[in-house]
Amino acid sequence: MRPRPHLFRDRAAHDHSLVTYIELFFDLVFVFAITQLSHRLLSHLTPDGALKTILLFLPVWWVWIYTSWTTNWLDPERANVRLMLILMMLGGLALAIAIPDAFGADGLLFAASYIAMQLFRSLYMVWASRGVNDARARNFVRVSFYFMLSGPFWLWGALVDAGLRTILWAVAIVIEYAGPMVFFRMPFLGRSTGADWDISGGHMAERCALFIIIALGEAVLVTGATYASLPHDGPTTAAFVASFVGSATLWWIYFDIGAKRASSMISASDNVGFIARNAYTYLHMPIVAGIIVIAVADAKMLAAPAAVSDRIYLMSACGGPILFLFGNQMFKWVTSDQRYPPLSHFVGNILLLAVAVAGYFGHWQTLTVGLLTTVSLIFAAQWEWFSLHGGWQRWAPWIGTLFGRAP
């Protein structure tokens, strides 16, 4: 029997591989990237600016999640793997630096650093797996093939004007995001199978949970930095408190129910690759994007709490929480045995839509809208908590009876 290679983790089926310090160090680069994305959106808060920020967010997420898959197999305690991750961090810094002017003079820096990171890591996995786990090596040849297909569009887009760049980069993103959906099918090598993605489900769940913490931390940093530079009067302080309570509620919604239950489910599953693809690779994108948009809305509310809400502000103040609740709703649904998505999240999104409509026609102040979006999130969080933790029975038995739960 071929001896186990020194580059891969040693684990049995359903083991929970620990997240290492170098992985957390790698994630710090993406604190910077997320900050750059939120600042870019804040300074380009228009439909065109939002579209371009989305086109930048998707590759940032893609390079992070693919690296998380890779370190699920590789042992980051090995010097060779650590060096690979440190080089990836250098590329990630270049990627983040290019974000503010990626549709201008820094387009080539963004595109070149991104495709270099994706190909370098994927080909590294081919090299590390060859002769050790040939199925995994073939799998990452397929993955590399899709990055080779998208690479010319990234580089071509970086060399043309911003309008055509948007189209070409969108094509590149479609190619890459289609890869997992078609199991990386390619000529001669066919397609991957679920067995090729024999990851540690607990490790993937923990990695994504930590990324949510990073995104929430970035939102708190934006709130604190903005408030520190403003006069601490009544409206500004109220906006600051609403923003912080909103961030705490986002944490509650994700971590109280979804994160723990999903980790337990994926750790025990025999189809861990399929669950990880749907629940973590794809469904965490609206969750993270929602947090970024909420941070932008909070910054605008803090800067001018008495200003009348315009359409763009309402789209960010209500659209961010809607994205976050939708992502959590789908994530919790696919990682549970529930027949339907959580009703509390539906109700929360209905309330947020009502706030957006009323705020637009009522010409509400940004502080009023911010307070009501926070209340909507709290309502959704507490509805779910009471329903799943037996709170209805403890607090008011007759309410539990109304919701079909015996007192």
Side-chain angles (χ1 to χ4, degrees):
M1 180 180 294
R2 192 185 300 274
R4 177 187 174 275
H6 70 285
L7 293 182
F8 291 94
R9 296 177 187 260
D10 187 10
R11 66 167 186 258
H14 304 302
D15 274 0
H16 181 166
S17 299
L18 296 177
V19 175
T20 59
Y21 294 128
I22 186 68
E23 291 174 273
L24 297 177
F25 189 32
F26 174 83
D27 288 352
L28 291 178
V29 172
F30 288 85
V31 176
F32 180 38
I34 289 175
T35 301
Q36 292 283 75
L37 286 167
S38 63
H39 287 174
R40 189 191 190 283
L41 181 59
L42 184 60
S43 61
H44 298 81
L45 203 54
T46 64
D48 180 69
L51 172 63
K52 289 177 178 176
T53 302
I54 291 171
L55 287 177
L56 297 176
F57 165 72
L58 292 175
V60 168
W61 170 258
W62 218 226
V63 73
W64 182 86
I65 194 68
Y66 267 76
T67 306
S68 296
W69 280 84
T70 300
T71 54
N72 199 288
W73 288 296
L74 293 170
D75 184 357
E77 297 299 330
R78 304 298 179 181
N80 196 303
V81 178
R82 286 183 177 181
L83 290 173
M84 182 273 289
L85 288 173
I86 289 171
L87 288 173
M88 289 286 292
M89 290 171 65
L90 182 61
L93 283 172
L95 187 77
I97 289 168
I99 285 174
D101 200 25
F103 285 91
D106 288 337
L108 186 58
L109 176 62
F110 183 88
S113 57
Y114 172 72
I115 201 64
M117 291 172 71
Q118 295 287 45
L119 280 174
F120 167 66
R121 186 205 52 250
S122 299
L123 292 174
Y124 180 92
M125 278 296 291
V126 174
W127 169 77
S129 303
R130 180 162 294 171
V132 174
N133 188 323
D134 290 334
R136 186 177 296 157
R138 289 191 297 272
N139 191 34
F140 275 90
V141 169
R142 298 184 190 101
V143 172
S144 302
F145 173 74
Y146 276 79
F147 289 126
M148 290 176 183
L149 286 179
S150 67
F153 291 97
W154 284 110
L155 297 175
W156 182 14
L159 300 175
V160 296
D161 63 82
L164 185 55
R165 182 175 304 175
T166 300
I167 296 171
L168 291 171
W169 283 5
V171 171
I173 288 169
V174 169
I175 292 171
E176 293 180 10
Y177 273 72
M181 300 302 296
V182 298
F183 297 92
F184 299 102
R185 185 181 294 277
M186 67 169 286
F188 306 111
L189 286 184
R191 49 163 277 180
S192 300
T193 66
D196 293 330
W197 301 94
D198 56 334
I199 63 168
S200 164
H203 178 272
M204 179 60 72
E206 186 177 358
R207 293 292 285 117
C208 287
L210 289 170
F211 198 89
I212 297 299
I213 287 290
I214 288 172
L216 287 172
E218 191 276 336
V220 172
L221 286 173
V222 169
T223 299
T226 304
Y227 180 69
S229 64
L230 296 170
H232 298 170
D233 55 21
T236 305
T237 301
F240 169 73
V241 172
S243 176
F244 174 75
V245 171
S247 296
T249 306
L250 298 181
W251 176 90
W252 189 299
I253 289 171
Y254 180 84
F255 285 96
D256 181 59
I257 300 295
K260 291 184 288 187
R261 184 174 61 194
S263 180
S264 298
M265 177 187 177
I266 195 172
S267 296
S269 175
D270 292 325
N271 197 11
V272 62
F274 181 77
I275 295 174
R277 184 196 69 177
N278 293 340
Y280 292 100
T281 299
Y282 287 111
L283 290 179
H284 268 60
M285 288 188 295
I287 297 174
V288 176
I291 294 171
I292 293 172
V293 175
I294 291 168
V296 170
D298 287 346
K300 286 189 68 66
M301 175 180 64
L302 279 162
V308 175
S309 300
D310 58 15
R311 179 171 54 89
I312 297 299
Y313 171 75
L314 287 167
M315 289 176 64
S316 61
C318 299
I322 287 172
L323 270 176
F324 182 84
L325 282 180
F326 171 76
N328 271 279
Q329 185 179 48
M330 295 297 103
F331 167 60
K332 292 173 182 177
W333 189 25
V334 302
T335 55
S336 72
D337 56 1
Q338 294 179 354
R339 186 174 180 182
Y340 301 106
L343 177 61
S344 58
H345 294 45
F346 272 124
V347 175
N349 278 338
I350 290 172
L351 290 174
L352 288 163
L353 286 171
V355 170
V357 173
Y360 180 75
F361 288 103
H363 306 290
W364 288 353
Q365 294 181 344
T366 58
L367 176 58
T368 303
V369 172
L371 288 170
L372 289 175
T373 56
T374 298
V375 169
S376 300
L377 287 170
I378 292 173
F379 183 85
Q382 293 307 307
W383 181 322
E384 181 179 49
W385 189 86
F386 278 123
S387 298
L388 296 180
H389 286 290
W392 298 123
Q393 294 94 311
R394 292 199 304 272
W395 287 81
W398 62 273
I399 298 179
T401 303
L402 288 178
F403 283 88
R405 295 175 180 271

